[in-house]
Amino acid sequence: MDGFFDYIFLKNAIYGIILSSFICGIVGSIVVVNRIVSLAGSIAHAAYGGVGIAFYFGLPVTATTMVFSSISGFIVGFLTEKENALSDSFIGMIWAFGMALGIILTDLTPGYNADLMSYLFGNVLTITDIDLILSGILLSLILILLILNYKTVVLVSFDKDYSRVVGYRVNIIYYIMLIMVSLSIVILIKMTGIILVMAMLTIPQSIAIKRCKSLSSMMVLSSIIALLFSIIGFIIAYRFNLSTGATIILFSVIVYFIDTLVNYVKR
Amino acid sequence: MKTIVDLQRIYFKYDNEDFWILEDVNLTLKEGDYLIIVGPNGGGKTTLIKAMLGLLTPTKGLVNLNIKQSDIGYLPQYISLKRDFPIKVKDVILLGLPRGKVFSNEYFEEIVSELKISELLHKRVSELSGGQLQRVLLARAVISKPRLLILDEPTSNIDPYGTFCFFSYLEKLNKYMTIVMVTHNLGLIMSGVKSVACVNRKLIFMDKPQINQEMIELMYGVHDQHSCHLGQYLHDEIEHISRGGII
Ligand SMILES: Nc1ncnc2c1ncn2[C@@H]1O[C@H](COP(=O)(O)OP(=O)(O)O)[C@@H](O)[C@H]1O
Ligand SMILES: [Mg+2]
């Protein structure tokens, strides 16, 4: 019996890892080339506020957090539009605000003993079928939007001013990208936790960006790297009974540094 | 001739400043014009161009753009774009095409050979020098055969021979494109230029390729802190211009 349960959980974990690797590879590439890593970080951390709201008011967690994150993504996007010195501070503020809100609301929720750690680091072994279905839907949605608008995404990410001059609706496209980022983060948090999401949105991409001559190839390569990192990290964690998320991150960062070092020495 | 852009009594200041960067600026561009904009650093040339493009909204005054945004080609002054972006030179050029517009191979080849960038097409943008990037971005600006081509100091990083080729190509393009170019390169450009605007907060317009005394005073007369050098500087400047064939 034990072996059977192990198998189901493992199967969901592996499917979850595969789906989230592709979401991270694609969305993370957009985050990295648009240089909105800290903006994405603030959306991810602010999402905890959505979790708090859901618990406090007894609402469905994923849906509530999705709405909350899309709104906070929109607000950070709006506040940072001018790209001045204040932008960074706004990002930090939203980041802290969401977390504080989440903590206060879970404090106030009777009978709920909030486990912040599980949202920070996630747990791939608790991935449910519904999580998988939601990620599948999100991944398809992202792929469809991307395939239909690939050139626009490249142009807006590469050179906003020029896109504006030749008549693209840059702001709308930018906000759609932010909302996709927010939704992805929410879906991924459940599976991987806030901190692992940020790692998977940036580390594989930083390795891939140097080696690619197009955004699409960067997306593919990042997804593959994210998948390798996750699977290898997962196996190590499983074998030595460590936290999966933290193991994956440590493994990724070590590979990143080795890669950087090798590139440096080569030169 | 059809009016393409019309600026009426433009005043501009930046949000956090309380002095005018542009004051009572009027300018009309007609189809087929080739206008160069000259003036000192900080005189407001880039600001004027951005107002024309709709990237900045004037504090007061009217900007009438009588063509579609997608009929504009633009080469910005500060190449603010992301050099580490994973993209090939060829794709950068093709990004200049509006949505759904196909390009003719023949025209693409023409641009690439005129601007001498055929060896660069499969490189990543991160591998280009400043001058190479400027030429690639000019290619991007003209690939859509825009009706209005706006260039902000396009040759500031290009070597003299490259600059010469660049200006000769512009002269050709002017047969079917209206051109506005900010430049400090007064000596070389005279081939084909039809009018000059001198901008230093105010604008003085000249309907032929000439710079007069009034313009020079507008350009340099206000920099009192350098007044001791000013006489020599103006002298050199006029020398320079007259060697280029105008005054
Ligand atoms: N974003 C900005 N905020 C405040 N002042 C600015 C900004 N951009 C330019 N300026 C100021 O406006 C003036 C004109 O700048 P600009 O149009 O770039 O001049 P030019 O292109 O002629 O060298 C300068 O004094 C500059 O300091
Ligand atoms: Mg300028």
Side-chain angles (χ1 to χ4, degrees), chain A residues 151 157 165 209 212-213, chain B residues 69 82 84 97 99 122 124:
Chain A
K151 197 183 147 187
S157 306
V165 168
I209 194 171
C212 295
K213 282 186 173 180
Chain B
Q69 287 286 149
K82 302 161 179 166
D84 54 356
L97 290 169
R99 238 170 126 91
H122 296 284
R124 250 183 84 129

Side-chain angles (χ1 to χ4, degrees), chain B residues 40-47 77-78 152-153 182 184:
Chain B
N41 298 131
K45 305 179 295 297
T46 300
T47 306
Q77 174 178 17
Y78 299 107
D152 197 349
E153 297 194 26
V182 175
H184 293 297

